[in-house]
Structures are given as structure tokens and as C-alpha cells.
Amino acid sequence: MSEFTAARAHDAVLRHVEESLRSGALKLGDRLPGERALAEQFAISRASVRNAIRALEVMGVVRSATGSGPNSGTIVVSNPSSALGGALRMHVASHQLPLKDIVEARTMTETWALEHAATAPWTPEQIDDARRLLEAMDDDGLPSQIFTLLDAQFHVALSALAGNVVVSTMMESMREAIRDYISDAAVRQGAWEEVVHVLRAHHHGIFDAVEARDGVLAARLVREHIEWFYGKAI
């Protein structure tokens, strides 16, 4: 089979899965047929099927597991932020996507989200997710690496209050794309105790503004917070 033909065989499986998802023939939690069945269905090699499955895994569309239990096989999932975050991280590492541009995009996205969260119909239970992360970050014994992980989750949790799943996915993706740079920057800080004190104060101010549904203040505070940290650390 030529390289071109193999690529077309690979695409046939991807198109089939896309069309099946769009039509509802495939839903979250469903299993794809096995390699042999797909190879016979499309008259292609099992190697081409495996390539298609790997591509779907990278996209966050399926999860594959060996064995014979209830979680075995190739199962349809939905994990777009992981897939987008991984792709962005690779392009940041290759210097094709400047870190500065990712930070600017994150600032635009998060300020929009917090401003719109002011009028979104979120519940007390939803904001409690961010509150728990805020309280966890107040622990003075947290290593910087753990703090930055909680920090990322905190920002994503607040942005999710806007109720826009695409914006939430983009936020998670951008945080994933620059997570190593943030962790490294935190480690490099010679006076981390002073930095983390400022970050905690920023977080509490941002949270209070969101909880009070003051979107203008929340957006301004998160912009100042992001610019302060990256100006100091990157």
C-alpha cells in the first residue's frame, strides 16, 4: 500500500467516526468495533486502523485500554482541553507560538469570562469549587509546584462560571500549554514566600469580586494579576 493510499485509509476511519458522532450513531461511552471488524468494514489493513485510533486518542475523542473488563476496548470519550493543550504546548516548545502571545490570549479569554460570569446563572455549589481551591492555596506549607497546579485549577474554575464550554476548554488548554513555564518560573523565584503572599492576595480579591458579581472589577483584577506574575516571572 502506498503512503498516499495508507493516508486515505486512515482518513476513512476518522470520517466514519466523525459522521457517526454527528448523527448520534456513536455517543459518549460507546465502544468502537475492534480492529479486525473495522479493517474488514473499510477493506484496509489493521495497521491503518491502529493509526486512526491513535489519532483519535491524541484528539481526545477515544480512550483505548487492553483486557476484557468493562473499561477495555476503544471507548468514545470527550477530552478536548487535553488534546488542545498538548498541541499548543508542542508549538510553544517549538517557538512557533510565542509564550507572550499565549499569555495575551489567556488574558483576553479570562477577562471576558470573569466579566460575563457576573450575569451568568451559576450556583453556590459551582463557585464553591473555586472557594475550596482558594482555601487550599492558603496553606503555607504547600510546595511551589503544588501551589501552581491549584492556581491553574482555580482560574479554570472561575472562568467556567461564565457558562461557555468553549471558553472553558480554551482556558484549560492555554493553562496546559504553559504549565511547565509557570512551574519553572515559580521554582526560579528567589523570594517565593514573598511572591506567593502577593498571589494569595490577588486570588482573594479576584474571588471576592466574582462572588459579588462585579464583572468589571473581576476582569480588571485578573488582568493585573496575570500581568504582574508574568512580568515578574517569565
Side-chain angles (χ1 to χ4, degrees):
M1 181 181 290
S2 71
E3 186 175 324
F4 176 73
T5 304
R8 291 187 62 184
H10 169 277
D11 287 342
V13 178
L14 299 182
R15 285 197 302 272
H16 168 73
V17 171
E18 180 182 355
E19 291 165 3
S20 297
L21 288 169
R22 186 182 296 117
S23 69
L26 271 178
K27 299 178 291 297
L28 295 184
D30 287 350
R31 282 182 178 77
L32 296 186
E35 278 184 15
R36 178 178 297 177
L38 286 171
E40 292 175 354
Q41 178 180 350
F42 293 101
I44 59 177
S45 69
R46 294 180 67 171
S48 294
V49 172
R50 283 193 292 273
N51 287 338
I53 297 302
R54 289 191 192 103
L56 290 167
E57 285 187 283
V58 170
M59 294 177 196
V61 176
V62 302
R63 183 191 71 240
S64 294
T66 57
S68 57
N71 295 321
S72 64
T74 303
I75 300 174
V76 177
V77 296
S78 179
N79 193 9
S81 60
S82 177
L84 290 173
L88 284 175
R89 192 169 65 250
M90 286 293 186
H91 291 296
V92 169
S94 72
H95 305 291
Q96 295 307 299
L97 291 180
L99 182 61
K100 178 180 73 70
D101 290 1
I102 294 287
V103 172
E104 287 178 354
R106 178 208 160 182
T107 302
M108 288 187 289
T109 304
E110 191 166 358
T111 52
W112 181 95
L114 297 196
E115 188 168 356
H116 283 73
T119 55
W122 45 263
T123 65
E125 290 75 21
Q126 286 174 289
I127 200 170
D128 279 347
D129 291 339
R131 191 192 312 276
R132 283 189 287 271
L133 292 163
L134 184 70
E135 292 170 352
M137 284 186 287
D138 283 340
D139 181 355
D140 289 330
L142 278 181
S144 61
Q145 295 92 333
I146 302 301
F147 183 93
T148 55
L149 285 174
L150 295 173
D151 182 342
Q153 294 172 24
F154 172 74
H155 283 274
V156 170
L158 285 182
S159 297
L161 297 177
N164 186 306
V165 294
V166 176
V167 166
S168 296
T169 298
M170 290 169 60
M171 272 294 301
E172 290 189 56
S173 301
M174 286 185 284
R175 294 291 302 194
E176 170 74 9
I178 58 178
R179 67 180 184 187
D180 293 338
Y181 293 90
I182 294 173
S183 295
D184 291 347
V187 170
R188 289 196 306 270
Q189 291 292 336
W192 171 245
E193 292 77 11
E194 296 177 14
V195 171
V196 76
H197 177 74
V198 175
L199 292 176
R200 287 188 181 118
H202 286 180
H203 288 160
H204 277 275
I206 294 165
F207 179 87
D208 291 346
V210 172
E211 188 174 37
R213 293 187 176 274
D214 189 337
V216 173
L217 177 60
R220 178 174 65 79
L221 290 178
V222 81
R223 179 183 294 277
E224 292 173 353
H225 167 68
I226 295 169
E227 291 175 350
W228 179 86
F229 180 79
Y230 285 105
K232 193 171 182 60
I234 301 299

